Amino acid sequence: MNMEIAGDVVALDTELLQLPEVSPFALKSNPRFSEELFDQWLSLPETNRLVTSLLNDAKAGVPLNVPGNSSATNAAASNSLPSMFPAGSAPPLSPRSSTSGSPRVMKHRVGPSTLSSPLKLVSEPVRELIPQFYFQNGRPPPNELKEQCLFRINQIFYGHLDGLQIHEFRSVAKEICKLPSFLSTALFRRIDVNFTGIVTRDAFIDYWVNGNMLTMDIETQIYKILKQPDLKYLTQVDFKPVLRELLATHPGLEFLQSTPEFQERYEIFYYMNRSGNGQLTLRELKRGNLITAMQHADEEEDINKVLRYFSYEHFYVIYCKFWELDTDHDFLIDKENLIRYIPRKFTSKVEGKMGYEDFVNFILSEEDKTSEPSLEYWFKCIDLDGNGVLTRNEMQFFYEEQLHRMECMAQEPVLFEDILCQIVDMIGPENESYITLRDLKSCKLSGSVFNILFNLNKFMAFETRDPFLIRQERENPTLTEWDRFAHREYIRLSMEEDVEEASNGSAEVWDESLEAPF
């Protein structure tokens, strides 16, 4: 600047800046920022000319005549501004001069500055338009995706002016909807609400494209296809059409079409429906791995490689185990056989009898006590009063049976006090006076705790584990305890069946040789 100021600046009063859009407190709390703003204003050419003119007028004794200042000289004198300069020198004016010399009055001014300062008033903030994020009937598909889908629909429906029949609908489910092929029947019946036996091109477009199914995730798509319109959850019955089509179309399961028990895949609800109320919600469906297993089963010809939900080996082992216990083959097991191990009310309608569904839940929990559904199953068993914690008395109640078994096996009994200390050391609960389900789920040895209380043989086997089994577990960490058990049992049962067939065959040959001479 072409100006000289005698003396040093003593202090900067932030209110001299006259910025109504900025809080004075904010400026006072950051003096460095205020000084930078003032320095920037002083460096402007307009400010240079204004200050130089004022200084010259002051030296010549001319009364101050600031543009836009209509107050009298005596008013200006009576409302003198705090001085930034030594006594006797005129104060510099703010770049936002108004009708009053007082910065406190000027602070409320809303008009624009007459000095063309770059410190512009902040206008009313621009309101951003928030895009719609909730759609009651699902998000509409983008135009490009919609056009691609319509093009593929036209290709498949070409030559079928009257529509497609149910046996022609697999390509629609697989290629257009990207769903497992054995969901085609359920999808067909969901669209064909009038039971005409035909789905036209327009009807499919109206349901899949215009109904915004195209943009939903696959879990939501399957949920909407299978769910009854008046319900907000899935039931066992909703899965029967899917399983029937899987049996009819999968090359590894065709021989089971006449086996209704395979169609009752209770394992699905055991692992997925964690509340155990038989009502599978969309949230539970998304949290589980059922959809992944469906896709795997649709691509894999060897159904036994699909270890979750659809394995024939697993079904065979469960069915044979149930058949062994069901001595009268009425498909019900007397409760006396397993009364001490069933934590929930039987679903069978025959009082005091365990049905096949109950047995599936039981054997899955018994043979793999490391899974979360199993931990929840046995926790409910021990929690006799249902208060959500396992107390000393509840655990002791079940351990009494193990003491009796030790005596029958001529083993030295172990006092419950010692067992309780071992359980607390294994689990490490937050409160040693009781054990919660959260404590059990955070511990890898929870399965052994339940074996102590329910299955003495398994606990002893754990205490003296075979190194070969430990190495086998490390080689296949993805296999669960249930997977290993089912594989061993399947081999054993298959060998027994082969031996039985061979013995029956030899007997038939022997009988024929005896009868031949006659």
Side-chain angles (χ1 to χ4, degrees):
M1 296 177 59
N2 298 324
M3 55 181 290
E4 294 180 2
I5 300 177
D8 297 326
V9 175
V10 177
L12 171 63
D13 191 330
T14 56
E15 295 197 12
L16 287 174
L17 294 176
Q18 300 180 10
L19 299 176
E21 66 273 16
V22 182
S23 169
F25 176 79
L27 292 174
K28 290 179 179 180
S29 62
N30 194 352
R32 181 176 179 83
F33 175 73
S34 304
E35 292 175 3
E36 290 178 356
L37 286 177
F38 187 70
D39 291 341
Q40 182 182 6
W41 176 73
L42 287 177
S43 65
L44 297 175
E46 296 88 345
T47 307
N48 190 354
R49 290 192 293 271
L50 175 63
V51 174
T52 302
S53 174
L54 291 174
L55 288 176
N56 293 334
D57 291 344
K59 291 178 181 179
V62 179
L64 292 178
N65 185 17
V66 182
N69 189 355
S70 60
S71 61
T73 305
N74 58 350
S78 62
N79 297 306
S80 59
L81 298 175
S83 177
M84 291 175 53
F85 300 92
S89 61
L93 296 184
S94 167
R96 298 182 181 271
S97 300
S98 70
T99 58
S100 173
S102 173
R104 299 188 182 276
V105 176
M106 293 161 60
K107 185 169 61 174
H108 299 287
R109 184 185 58 81
V110 295
S113 172
T114 58
L115 300 180
S116 301
S117 170
L119 300 176
K120 303 295 182 183
L121 284 173
V122 178
S123 60
E124 188 174 339
V126 180
R127 296 182 179 179
E128 292 188 24
L129 181 61
I130 301 177
Q132 183 178 353
F133 58 87
Y134 173 74
F135 300 88
Q136 185 176 1
N137 298 318
R139 180 182 296 274
N143 291 332
E144 182 178 357
L145 179 62
K146 185 176 180 178
E147 291 175 0
Q148 293 176 356
C149 184
L150 291 175
F151 176 77
R152 192 72 187 99
I153 291 173
N154 292 333
Q155 285 183 323
I156 291 183
F157 278 85
Y158 179 77
H160 299 275
L161 298 180
D162 297 332
L164 297 176
Q165 298 181 9
I166 192 168
H167 65 274
E168 301 172 313
F169 212 67
R170 289 175 62 84
S171 59
V172 175
K174 181 74 173 176
E175 299 178 21
I176 296 180
C177 304
K178 308 300 181 184
L179 298 172
S181 59
F182 48 86
L183 281 164
S184 61
T185 299
L187 176 61
F188 184 93
R189 300 196 184 282
R190 181 61 63 198
I191 301 174
D192 183 25
V193 293
N194 296 322
F195 305 102
T196 61
I198 294 290
V199 169
T200 64
R201 171 187 174 276
D202 293 340
F204 177 73
I205 291 177
D206 186 62
Y207 177 79
W208 191 258
V209 180
N210 298 338
N212 300 331
M213 293 283 287
L214 186 59
T215 55
M216 297 178 185
D217 55 80
I218 188 171
E219 291 84 3
T220 306
Q221 290 173 347
I222 294 178
Y223 177 79
K224 286 184 171 291
I225 292 171
L226 298 182
K227 181 182 69 68
Q228 299 301 318
D230 55 335
L231 299 179
K232 296 183 179 180
Y233 52 83
L234 297 172
T235 64
Q236 294 272 10
V237 178
D238 297 327
F239 285 93
K240 285 189 175 181
V242 178
L243 296 170
R244 277 197 297 267
E245 187 172 359
L246 176 64
L247 289 175
T249 58
H250 199 285
L253 295 173
E254 292 179 358
F255 67 98
L256 285 174
Q257 292 186 44
S258 59
T259 308
E261 291 75 26
F262 187 85
Q263 299 176 23
E264 305 286 351
R265 303 308 296 162
Y266 297 115
E267 298 95 315
I268 293 177
F269 274 67
Y270 172 80
Y271 287 107
M272 300 287 294
N273 182 217
R274 303 295 288 277
S275 61
N277 60 359
Q279 300 174 357
L280 185 63
T281 64
L282 177 60
R283 181 180 181 183
E284 290 175 324
L285 185 64
K286 289 185 175 184
R287 291 176 61 183
N289 57 356
L290 175 61
I291 306 303
T292 303
M294 283 183 170
Q295 294 172 326
H296 189 191
D298 196 38
E299 302 294 337
E300 180 60 59
E301 292 187 2
D302 185 358
I303 197 64
N304 287 326
K305 291 184 179 179
V306 186
L307 296 179
R308 297 294 164 262
Y309 312 113
F310 304 110
S311 171
Y312 169 70
E313 282 188 3
H314 292 186
F315 162 75
Y316 184 78
V317 169
I318 295 174
Y319 190 83
C320 289
K321 286 287 186 180
F322 182 82
W323 194 254
E324 289 176 358
L325 293 173
D326 183 20
T327 54
D328 56 1
H329 303 315
D330 62 348
F331 228 69
L332 294 170
I333 298 176
D334 294 334
K335 67 175 184 179
E336 286 77 10
N337 295 328
L338 298 167
I339 186 61
R340 295 185 178 87
Y341 308 109
I342 305 303
R344 65 180 75 184
K345 184 180 179 181
F346 292 165
T347 59
S348 66
K349 297 181 180 179
V350 181
E351 185 178 357
K353 298 283 187 176
M354 174 194 283
Y356 184 68
E357 180 180 355
D358 297 306
F359 182 76
V360 170
N361 295 331
F362 165 71
I363 193 171
L364 291 175
S365 301
E366 168 60 22
E367 299 303 336
D368 184 5
K369 294 188 176 72
T370 61
S371 68
E372 287 198 2
S374 176
L375 296 179
E376 295 168 1
Y377 184 97
W378 295 114
F379 184 88
K380 292 177 183 177
C381 175
I382 304 176
D383 186 17
L384 297 176
D385 54 6
N387 64 347
V389 297
L390 305 184
T391 61
R392 168 196 172 100
N393 293 336
E394 289 172 330
M395 289 185 283
Q396 187 173 9
F397 174 80
F398 287 93
Y399 185 70
E400 292 297 330
E401 176 66 22
Q402 305 307 315
L403 283 177
H404 177 67
R405 292 181 181 180
M406 290 181 189
E407 294 175 359
C408 295
M409 297 171 63
Q411 293 186 0
E412 182 179 356
V414 181
L415 297 178
F416 176 74
E417 287 71 17
D418 298 332
I419 288 294
L420 182 61
C421 291
Q422 185 174 1
I423 290 176
V424 171
D425 290 341
M426 294 169 69
I427 299 298
E430 295 182 3
N431 190 324
E432 294 187 358
S433 61
Y434 57 82
I435 296 175
T436 65
L437 183 59
R438 180 179 178 181
D439 295 330
L440 293 171
K441 288 185 176 182
S442 61
C443 176
K444 295 182 178 180
L445 299 176
S446 300
S448 299
V449 172
F450 289 128
N451 282 331
I452 292 175
L453 302 177
F454 292 109
N455 196 319
L456 185 62
N457 292 334
K458 284 190 176 182
F459 176 67
M460 294 175 62
F462 174 80
E463 292 289 305
T464 58
R465 279 190 299 174
D466 186 353
F468 174 76
L469 294 177
I470 298 176
R471 184 170 65 252
Q472 191 179 41
E473 293 176 3
R474 292 175 179 173
E475 290 176 355
N476 297 295
T478 58
L479 296 179
T480 64
E481 292 295 328
W482 164 250
D483 295 333
R484 296 188 180 93
F485 168 80
H487 184 65
R488 292 193 304 267
E489 284 298 301
Y490 181 77
I491 294 175
R492 182 184 68 80
L493 293 170
S494 300
M495 293 177 62
E496 289 181 358
E497 186 176 354
D498 292 341
V499 171
E500 184 178 353
E501 290 179 357
S503 61
N504 291 337
S506 63
E508 292 175 1
V509 173
W510 176 258
D511 292 340
E512 291 177 359
S513 64
L514 289 176
E515 296 175 358
F518 302 97

